[in-house]
Each structure stands twice: as C-alpha cells, then as structure tokens.
Amino acid sequence: MTAASRADQSRADQSSAGADPAGAAAAGGTAVEPPPPGPRRLRLLSYNIRSLRDDRRALARVIRACAPDLVCVQESPRYWRPEGQAGWLARSTGTVVLAGGGRTAAGPLLLGRPGAAQLLGVHDRLLPKTRGLHARGFATALLRLPGTAPFTLTSCHLSLDPAERHGQFELLLDQLGIAEHGILAGDFNEHPDGPGWQLLASRLQDGYPTAPWGGEFTSVPERPYQRIDAVFATPGITVLGCGVPHGLPGVTGADLRAATDHLPVLAVLEIPEDRETPGPDDRGQRS
C-alpha cells in the first residue's frame, strides 16, 4: 500500500466511524444536489457495473436517480449475449446505447439519454492484449450538445498489470486527438499518486480535486477507502462538480452496496460553445 493509499484509508476510517459510508448524506443529514442544469451543461455518470453480476434492479435505480445525460459504463457483459444485456441496461435506465460494449470495446460502454446529445461518430478501440491478461478497450464517441463544440467521450477500464496499464494511460491520450475537447471517465485501477494517473493529471483536469462534490472514494462500497475511478476533462471544459453521489435523492446506501463492487462518479461539466455557429449579430450577414 502506498503512502497516499494509507492516508486514504486513514481518512476513510475517520469519516466512516459510526456512519454509513455508502449512503451518508452531507453534513447535517441533508441531501446535496450537484450543480443545476444549464446551457451547454452535461451531467455525466461513470460506473463499473461488474458485468451485471450483482443486484440489477438496485443498479438501475442508482443510475436513474443520478439522472445522467450520458453514462460511461465499465465491465458491461462481454461473453454471454453482450448486446442483449447492454440493451437491457439501456431500457432499464431510460437510455440508449451509443458506443462500445462487450465485443467492440471489451467491456466499456457508452449510454445516453435520448435527445441529450448528437452522436457524430464512434471511435471504439480494442487495445493490444498481453498474453494471460484480460482484453481491454475504449468506448469512444464524438458528440455534441445543443450549442456546443464537438467533444469526445471515452469510457475505459484499465489493466491490473502496472506495465500494461501505463501503456493504456498513454493510449488514452490518443483518443483525445479526435477533437479539441474531450472527456475520459472510468475505472483506472490506479491511485492518484500512480505514474499513469499523474500523466493524465499533468495534461487534463482531474474532476474531483478540480471541483469536489459528494464523496471522494469509489472502492469498495461497504467501506470506501480509495479513489480508483475518475472523470478527466481537457482544459477548455469547465468542471462544475464531481464526486460520488452520496445523499442524492433516490440514491440509497443499500442500493449502492447491492448494485456492484464500485461506487459511481457523477460529474457536471460545461462544454465550450461552438465557435462555428454564427452569433445573433452574424446571422444573415454576407462577406
């Protein structure tokens, strides 16, 4: 255990003493809402669902209560009817499948609320596989919200092997070359003091420390003590809030513990406006 993870454990022990760490609300016991909707604002959820092996109904309730515009899923089912199971998850959460899934991205999946974003392209990527280790991939879509510039969204679940994982961190940066603006979200299987995480943090905004909201630790639901799941954004995107949605109306500690072996990360982001869209003073003018 690293020094940072020991500190994480110590803080988790202190915060969870005599409390329910997977369902604790804000100080005073009141629910805390994330930043409200607004023009060009995206409500994004990242969630490792452990191949739907736990309580599916609890999982669907958590996702619905978070009311996301877009969802970055990790560990969607890969082997038995992956398309059908992804479809079940979409129907159960009021979303549609945008990209990725068990066969095309080895687990990462993108879901979206109908009408929330325009899908401009799909850029899923299967990664080089190390013999004896799980196949890995990225689910990536090029999207646009009403009035915003195009941006990429990538869901990822990185390797448990340190050497392979570091290479995957580097490949994640390649996915950001598709558009000027981009978001990476997922299960990174590394702590914030790790070399790969630091590589991303040196070039991108790490959502939670940039605009902390809700809880910090994402693993494990019964006793959260470490942050291995995160949302990163390119510098042009404004991070308004990011964290584990403890105390959000409809998100209960019982459901968080029953749904899967990770806690979700909910972020509210503001995407830059589309500079190519003419403003009020430009419409109708000719050069």
Side-chain angles (χ1 to χ4, degrees), residues 11 50 52 91 106 159 167 171 199 247 249-250 261 272:
R11 279 184 285 164
R50 198 160 74 145
L52 294 175
R91 291 190 301 273
S159 177
L171 293 173
L199 174 66
D261 62 346

Side-chain angles (χ1 to χ4, degrees), residues 246-279:
H246 294 309
L248 192 69
V251 177
T252 68
D255 278 349
L256 288 172
R257 289 188 295 272
T260 179
D261 62 346
H262 284 245
L263 293 172
V265 178
L266 181 63
V268 178
L269 310 163
E270 189 171 280
I271 311 299
E273 63 183 346
D274 188 355
R275 291 176 296 185
E276 296 182 3
T277 300

Side-chain angles (χ1 to χ4, degrees), residues 99-173:
R103 299 193 190 281
T104 62
L109 174 72
L110 297 181
L111 304 175
R113 178 173 56 81
Q118 180 185 6
L119 179 63
L120 303 176
V122 174
H123 301 270
D124 295 340
R125 181 175 183 179
L126 285 172
L127 303 182
K129 185 179 180 301
T130 301
R131 188 171 185 177
L133 299 178
H134 287 300
R136 303 281 177 175
F138 302 147
T140 299
L142 180 63
L143 302 160
R144 188 200 306 269
L145 303 183
T148 75
F151 65 95
T152 55
L153 177 63
T154 296
S155 177
C156 64
H157 183 201
L158 304 191
S159 177
L160 291 168
D161 178 79
E164 184 181 56
R165 183 172 64 245
H166 192 78
Q168 293 166 356
F169 272 108
E170 293 175 335
L171 293 173
L172 270 175
L173 294 173

